[in-house]
Amino acid sequence: MRGVGHENPGLRPLNTSMRSLVSAQLGPGAAADAPASVRTWADFETIYREHFRFVWRTVRRLGIEGAQVDDVVQEVFVVVHRRLGDFEGRSAAKTWLYGIVRRVVADHRRTLRRKPLGTAPDSEAMDAASPPEEGPEASAEQAERVRLLHQLLSQLDEAKREVFILAELEGLTLAEIAEALGVNANTVASRLRAARREFEAALEEQRRPR
């Protein structure tokens, strides 16, 4: 979209700590109980390497903030590892991954709502968090555009925000979005038209002199 930024988070290395985390969360008997169709660690590494940035961006655009982004992304890939054997390649990887992302994000939000008052993350720490591998060389202008993008996305309701993210920011087709969300393509098209109108109106409002 015109005038707003696109995040370009760096790829976190898939190292021993991630392997240990997956193993620990799956449990010691997971390998023995896994279905015959389960893929190898190399397949998981490929998914991680090719789609980490998509997962990170989507988690952030769905409203997860600060240090929680890394936690949610990590949980997404734990689920990806556990369910990789179920992925038969009939749909695009992004479509399959988005279904996992939206469920993990929803679970995370429910967990936060159940927490007692006073246990929310520190707002200053959240504001200070940055995308993986983003350093001081990142331009202030780009950072401001990304901030604006997130602000505008937050003004869309959940249904419109999802289709806007997948169509405008990630380039998925209407058919792919319909599959990811479990709705028909006409519904996706209607939501996308409304989301575009609202996004453009909010952007114009931001550009008006104060």
Side-chain angles (χ1 to χ4, degrees):
M1 301 298 293
R2 301 187 310 275
V4 294
H6 293 263
E7 305 102 317
N8 186 27
L11 177 65
R12 287 278 175 86
L14 183 56
N15 51 28
T16 304
S17 62
M18 183 63 182
R19 293 172 185 258
S20 300
L21 174 74
V22 170
S23 299
Q25 295 206 27
L26 293 181
D33 296 336
S37 60
V38 75
R39 292 178 170 83
T40 66
W41 182 268
D43 294 315
F44 173 70
E45 287 182 317
T46 299
I47 289 282
Y48 183 91
R49 183 175 61 252
E50 293 180 354
H51 298 289
F52 172 86
R53 292 177 177 85
F54 165 71
V55 170
W56 196 97
R57 289 192 306 265
T58 304
V59 166
R60 184 67 186 87
R61 289 165 177 170
L62 288 176
I64 304 301
E65 298 179 304
Q68 297 177 60
V69 176
D70 282 345
D71 293 340
V72 174
V73 169
Q74 186 170 266
E75 179 60 27
V76 167
F77 281 106
V78 169
V79 176
V80 168
H81 184 275
R82 185 169 63 239
R83 294 187 50 198
L84 193 55
D86 299 333
F87 179 56
E88 299 176 351
R90 295 177 183 174
S91 60
K94 278 188 175 181
T95 304
W96 179 71
L97 285 168
Y98 184 77
I100 296 175
V101 170
R102 74 194 300 242
R103 283 190 291 272
V104 172
V105 166
D107 289 345
H108 179 77
R109 288 174 177 161
R110 281 193 293 269
T111 299
L112 289 182
R113 285 196 294 268
R114 288 195 298 265
K115 286 186 176 182
L117 292 176
T119 60
D122 180 79
S123 59
E124 291 184 5
M126 291 172 66
D127 291 340
S130 60
E133 297 181 10
E134 184 178 271
E137 72 281 358
S139 72
E141 182 180 358
Q142 175 64 11
E144 174 60 21
R145 287 179 176 175
V146 169
R147 185 202 62 77
L148 175 59
L149 172 64
H150 292 155
Q151 179 182 337
L152 296 176
L153 288 175
S154 72
Q155 296 179 41
L156 300 175
D157 67 40
E158 193 72 23
K160 296 188 190 81
R161 178 165 48 175
E162 286 189 313
V163 298
F164 188 90
I165 289 169
L166 294 175
E168 293 291 341
L169 304 180
E170 296 296 341
L172 271 65
T173 66
L174 294 183
E176 289 171 334
I177 298 170
E179 182 178 356
L181 301 181
V183 299
N184 64 56
N186 288 336
T187 299
V188 172
S190 176
R191 290 177 185 176
L192 182 57
R193 285 193 297 271
R196 284 169 174 163
R197 287 195 301 269
E198 292 182 21
F199 188 93
E200 291 288 354
L203 182 57
E204 288 302 318
E205 177 65 24
Q206 286 290 326
R207 287 172 169 167
R208 285 184 188 143
R210 304 297 179 184

